[in-house]
Amino acid sequence: MPFGDILYIIAMFLFAFMTFIIVRNYFRLKFDDEGRRKDMLDEYEEEDRPKD
């Protein structure tokens, strides 16, 4: 296998790995442990409140 092919395979693997890490960190920042969006916590709290 030529050196260029090996280099291409390594580059594609690194690209896929870095993309996975970026997407995973994005979702960790956007969602809490319960799977709710952090920027919409007010709406979730309103749904949890009992209505009079």
Side-chain angles (χ1 to χ4, degrees):
M1 192 184 304
F3 179 71
D5 291 345
I6 294 171
L7 194 60
Y8 179 77
I9 291 170
I10 291 171
M12 288 299 110
F13 176 77
L14 288 175
F15 174 76
F17 182 72
M18 288 170 45
T19 302
F20 171 75
I21 296 297
I22 290 168
V23 170
R24 185 186 66 173
N25 287 337
Y26 173 78
F27 280 102
R28 280 187 178 173
L29 290 174
K30 285 285 184 183
F31 295 93
D32 63 4
D33 294 335
E34 296 175 7
R36 298 182 301 184
R37 285 181 60 109
K38 290 182 180 178
D39 59 347
M40 297 178 71
L41 286 178
D42 294 337
E43 293 178 18
Y44 290 123
E45 290 172 359
E46 289 175 8
E47 289 176 4
D48 292 340
R49 278 190 220 141
K51 297 186 179 186
D52 294 329

